[in-house]
Amino acid sequence: MELDIFVVDAFTDKQFKGNSAAVVPVNEWPAIHLMQSIAAENNLSETAFIKNICDNHYEIRWFSPLTEIDFCGHATLAASYVLFFEFGLKGVIEYSTAKVGSLRVSLRDSKNIEMSFPNQKPTGINQVPTEILQGLSKQPIYVLKNRQAYFAVYASEDDIFDINYDSQQLAQLAPFDVVITAPAKAYDFVSRYFWPANGGDEDPVTGSIHSGLAPYWAEQLNKTKLIAYQASKRGGVLTCSLTGDRVLVSGTGVLYMKGKIYT
């Protein structure tokens, strides 16, 4: 089997920044163990496999080096970058997913790719898991949760930059990941994302978690359009807005590599 592969740096306009994802178009789904092996070999935070259904309509599946993932934003942006700029698609791309329904993606201008996500606003919890209290070097003001992760909220962006984490502790929260977040000065809010149970220690830029972060901060800041920064070593900027029951997350991408996979 010979497959095309593309690697895109997502949520950045500079190579070696943002979050890298591999994109593998397929005519038929390979065996799950093969897709997982390709993702492990790529050793990027995500590898997206896309299968065409009809014009501008694709099925999409996401694999970390460890497991298949329910929902990945940056690899969806990467897949859309490939379809818009390498395959020449126009208009709106629709992705069918197994867990989060239909995702619609548009090219808003010459660079910005806008993705429509379900609103996954987190809610408060009665008891903070000890793994969070022991896994983060500073205790949060409070903690919320959605279907994807625990949200540890802090008072200052300085807290977010300074926090150290214990991956062994946070991994015990599986299948949930952990995002830490606070209001910011140059942006509306800042975050970092830890996912040792599902893919790695710290994710560079996590599009999917902004379907929860954006509605939370929209309520706190009383605004529906927000600029977010994910403060990993690579870093990434995301534009978020709320419309109805959807969260629109947009950003840019840069092609890093294209080639072939031989299996």
Side-chain angles (χ1 to χ4, degrees):
M1 184 185 298
E2 182 180 307
L3 300 171
D4 291 325
I5 183 171
F6 304 82
V7 177
V8 175
D9 291 335
F11 294 117
T12 182
D13 58 1
K14 298 179 176 63
Q15 283 189 340
F16 315 119
K17 298 292 185 180
N19 200 357
S20 296
V23 180
V24 182
V26 298
N27 294 321
E28 299 295 337
W29 291 120
I32 291 177
H33 71 84
L34 178 57
M35 290 190 285
Q36 187 62 68
S37 294
I38 291 171
E41 183 82 0
N42 290 337
N43 200 31
L44 300 170
S45 59
E46 298 289 346
T47 296
F49 295 85
I50 53 173
K51 177 178 175 290
N52 183 244
I53 299 173
C54 58
D55 290 349
N56 283 46
H57 190 181
Y58 288 76
E59 291 180 318
I60 187 168
R61 296 174 71 173
W62 308 280
F63 288 78
S64 80
L66 300 180
T67 188
E68 186 169 6
I69 300 296
D70 286 352
F71 178 26
C72 179
H74 89 276
T76 302
L77 189 151
S80 303
Y81 181 98
V82 170
L83 293 175
F84 283 132
F85 296 110
E86 295 297 314
F87 285 36
L89 265 63
K90 307 293 183 183
V92 177
I93 299 170
E94 181 177 359
Y95 295 103
S96 294
T97 77
K99 300 294 185 180
V100 291
S102 177
L103 308 177
R104 295 172 66 84
V105 180
S106 304
L107 187 62
R108 304 310 297 177
D109 55 39
S110 61
K111 295 192 300 181
N112 280 288
I113 295 171
E114 181 182 83
M115 302 174 288
S116 175
F117 292 158
N119 187 318
Q120 299 193 126
K121 180 183 174 183
T123 56
I125 58 176
N126 293 325
Q127 185 172 357
V128 178
T130 57
E131 292 85 356
I132 289 180
L133 300 178
Q134 295 177 8
L136 298 174
S137 61
K138 183 173 182 177
Q139 291 194 8
I141 300 171
Y142 45 86
V143 176
L144 306 99
K145 183 182 178 183
N146 71 2
R147 64 181 295 277
Q148 180 175 345
Y150 288 94
F151 291 63
V153 181
Y154 292 84
S156 166
E157 65 179 23
D158 293 335
D159 296 325
I160 304 304
F161 298 138
D162 294 342
I163 281 174
N164 297 313
Y165 60 95
D166 184 330
S167 289
Q168 290 186 337
Q169 286 289 337
L170 299 184
Q172 296 178 52
L173 296 166
F176 297 99
D177 301 321
V178 176
V179 61
I180 60 174
T181 187
K185 299 172 185 175
Y187 305 92
D188 289 301
F189 65 90
V190 64
S191 68
R192 291 169 64 193
Y193 191 85
F194 312 122
W195 65 320
N198 293 300
D201 288 335
E202 181 170 357
D203 196 39
V205 192
T206 313
S208 59
I209 200 61
H210 286 76
S211 66
L213 287 168
Y216 169 76
W217 284 113
E219 184 176 273
Q220 300 301 309
L221 301 174
N222 193 29
K223 58 195 305 186
T224 58
K225 294 185 178 181
L226 308 104
I227 306 297
Y229 179 67
Q230 192 157 330
S232 66
K233 289 181 180 179
R234 290 173 64 100
V237 177
L238 309 90
T239 301
C240 308
S241 60
L242 276 66
T243 175
D245 63 349
R246 307 294 289 181
V247 177
L248 305 180
V249 177
S250 64
T252 58
V254 180
L255 182 68
Y256 172 69
M257 181 271 286
K258 56 183 175 181
K260 296 286 186 181
I261 299 171
Y262 303 97
T263 63

